[in-house]
Amino acid sequence: MKPKYQLIIDDIKSYILSGTYKAGEKIPSEHVLQESYNVSRQTVRKAILELSNEGFLRSERGSGTYVSSQYRSRTGAKTINKTIGVITTYISDYIFPSIIRGIESRLNEDNYSLLLASTNNDISQEKKALEMMLSYGVDGLIIEPTRSNVYNPNIAYYLSFKEQEVPFAMINAYYEELEVPFFCLDDVQSSYLATRELIAKGHTQIGIIAKMDDLQGKFRMKGFIKALGEAKLRFQQEHVLSFDTSTKSDLSANLEVYLNDNRDELTALVCYNDEVGLEVVHVCRELGISIPDELSIIGQDNSYFAKNANIKLTTLTHPQEQMGRDAADWVIKNLQGKKDLPTNTYYQPILIEGETVKAIEVE
């Protein structure tokens, strides 16, 4: 458990970094802080002293304690090279190493440093990462949003970057509440092409496994529905299995129930991504469902998983390294004062045929 003075420090830092307390603004008095946190005056003074030492506060004798922006100049003077912060949901698996490699290669060309953080798609961890970037004083930022299809309580931190004129761009998704440049796969088109491929192979009973707390999942569902509509096929709610970050650990068990319930109807599945596609393959093997003879599967993202699995997954491309390079290039050019930079970039997916889709005969 944190000592009480540290709780005061963390809260005041959050208020300053999120813009709740503005530079030059007077913070609550020692007496008010004592009552708010139920602590001694000594504890409050210890917290204020540490925040003052870090450049977040300054005290004026007989007047009170004020917010200082000194912390920015302290961190900003740390090095001649500029530093770009990168926040992704994950770092070490799936498509993220490739994206980060693309960012790093472009930053290296102009001698920019990289400061990396991940959120595990958790909003509280995103808050910590944003506070770290603001405290450090990064010159620019590349972010993959956390749970981008639900309201995000960290919006104030992004507005703080805007107020400080720190350029930032988003990758893979974006927060619809913010006007922010982004670099994304055309997720509607990706799922649309996947569904259309299955329809072209004669499938009419097609299901989807969808992750619904991320914008990618929302758009991939949209592409699925669009392709069904064009083919005059009925959208059937019972053919949808949705999950989110908090229920992802239950996906295998839920897939078992879903596949058993729909075994006599479904002939094909569009999967949220390759990771989910290969989980479906695993569960099908346990249930004795033959792929692709009984069930055709398409993943999305052409990830490391798809390339190295013991079955060649039919999937769709994702720009990965190119997306990382382009986002880093955008931030660098913005810092160099370039004008008329793109506000959004969509990459078009291409179908990659594998071993998990089979045509069925139309009776």
Side-chain angles (χ1 to χ4, degrees):
M1 189 174 173
K2 287 182 181 179
K4 289 183 177 180
Y5 79 90
Q6 189 62 50
L7 292 173
I8 301 172
I9 289 171
D10 291 347
D11 282 355
I12 291 177
K13 267 191 188 178
S14 291
Y15 293 144
I16 293 171
L17 294 171
S18 66
T20 304
Y21 290 171
K22 307 285 187 188
E25 187 178 323
K26 190 175 181 179
I27 69 164
S29 67
E30 289 183 3
H31 179 68
V32 170
L33 290 172
Q34 271 182 261
E35 290 194 337
S36 298
Y37 290 92
N38 193 25
V39 294
S40 67
R41 175 164 284 193
Q42 183 182 359
T43 299
V44 170
R45 286 182 171 174
K46 185 174 184 180
I48 289 173
L49 179 62
E50 187 155 328
L51 285 163
S52 298
N53 289 338
E54 291 181 31
F56 286 92
L57 297 176
R58 58 180 174 79
S59 295
E60 293 184 10
R61 188 180 294 277
S63 176
T65 304
Y66 297 82
V67 175
S68 170
S69 57
Q70 189 67 31
Y71 71 92
R72 290 181 204 159
S73 57
R74 288 185 182 195
T75 53
K78 62 200 171 296
T79 175
I80 297 171
N81 292 347
K82 290 188 181 296
T83 298
I84 307 302
V86 176
I87 301 174
T88 57
T89 50
Y90 305 99
I91 289 177
S92 59
D93 61 5
Y94 201 54
I95 59 176
F96 299 101
S98 296
I99 293 172
I100 293 164
R101 188 162 56 246
I103 293 171
E104 194 168 30
S105 68
R106 179 63 189 91
L107 294 182
N108 285 343
E109 288 171 13
D110 280 53
N111 293 317
Y112 281 69
S113 300
L114 181 152
L115 181 63
L116 188 60
S118 71
T119 68
N120 289 311
N121 218 29
D122 178 84
I123 284 167
S124 63
Q125 290 189 47
E126 183 194 45
K127 178 176 180 246
K128 288 179 184 175
L130 289 166
E131 287 183 353
M132 179 186 78
M133 298 297 175
L134 282 161
S135 294
Y136 189 86
V138 293
D139 300 285
L141 192 64
I142 297 166
I143 315 108
E144 186 198 24
T146 292
R147 300 185 67 207
S148 50
N149 197 33
V150 298
Y151 171 70
N152 187 290
N154 296 325
I155 294 297
Y157 291 96
Y158 292 104
L159 296 176
S160 283
F161 281 112
K162 281 195 171 187
E163 284 172 14
Q164 294 175 32
E165 299 184 341
V166 175
F168 62 89
M170 293 190 171
I171 56 173
N172 276 333
Y174 50 89
Y175 292 126
E176 292 180 298
E177 304 94 320
L178 292 173
E179 292 291 328
V180 57
F182 59 82
F183 296 81
C184 294
L185 177 72
D186 187 338
D187 290 294
V188 174
Q189 183 71 357
S190 183
S191 208
Y192 170 78
L193 291 176
T195 311
R196 203 174 69 173
E197 170 71 4
L198 294 169
I199 293 168
K201 291 286 197 289
H203 295 274
T204 58
Q205 299 296 313
I206 306 168
I208 185 169
I209 315 297
K211 186 172 188 287
M212 295 310 296
D213 59 341
D214 287 324
L215 212 54
Q216 296 100 309
K218 172 184 173 178
F219 290 147
R220 290 178 183 190
M221 174 70 85
K222 186 176 180 180
F224 172 75
I225 293 169
K226 179 185 174 185
L228 290 183
E230 284 184 4
K232 306 279 194 292
L233 295 175
R234 187 166 65 90
F235 173 83
Q236 299 179 69
Q237 183 57 44
E238 61 271 23
H239 289 173
V240 176
L241 176 62
S242 64
F243 70 101
D244 59 26
T245 304
S246 63
T247 60
K248 186 181 175 186
S249 58
D250 302 322
L251 183 59
S252 181
N254 292 335
L255 274 171
E256 192 171 325
V257 174
Y258 169 84
L259 290 169
N260 268 325
D261 287 349
N262 292 285
R263 191 164 188 165
D264 296 333
E265 280 196 21
L266 281 183
T267 63
L269 268 181
V270 174
C271 297
Y272 170 69
N273 62 14
D274 296 337
E275 186 179 11
V276 171
L278 291 170
E279 188 63 41
V280 172
V281 170
H282 173 71
V283 174
C284 283
R285 282 176 179 155
E286 290 189 337
L287 296 176
I289 298 172
S290 175
I291 295 173
D293 294 333
E294 293 179 72
L295 187 70
S296 290
I297 296 170
I298 297 187
Q300 297 181 73
D301 293 337
N302 191 27
S303 65
Y304 173 86
F305 292 162
K307 295 171 185 173
N308 292 275
N310 54 17
I311 184 169
K312 192 172 188 303
L313 192 67
T314 300
T315 187
L316 289 107
T317 57
H318 184 290
Q320 297 179 33
E321 195 162 335
Q322 187 63 50
M323 175 187 282
R325 277 193 65 86
D326 291 346
D329 187 65
W330 185 94
V331 173
I332 289 170
K333 284 179 176 173
N334 190 293
L335 288 167
Q336 290 171 345
K338 300 280 173 61
K339 304 297 182 186
D340 301 320
L341 295 172
T343 54
N344 55 69
T345 301
Y346 284 107
Y347 302 88
Q348 293 306 307
I350 300 167
L351 185 83
I352 299 175
E353 292 187 10
E355 305 167 341
T356 57
V357 173
K358 181 180 180 181
I360 61 172
E361 295 179 10
V362 180
E363 296 179 1

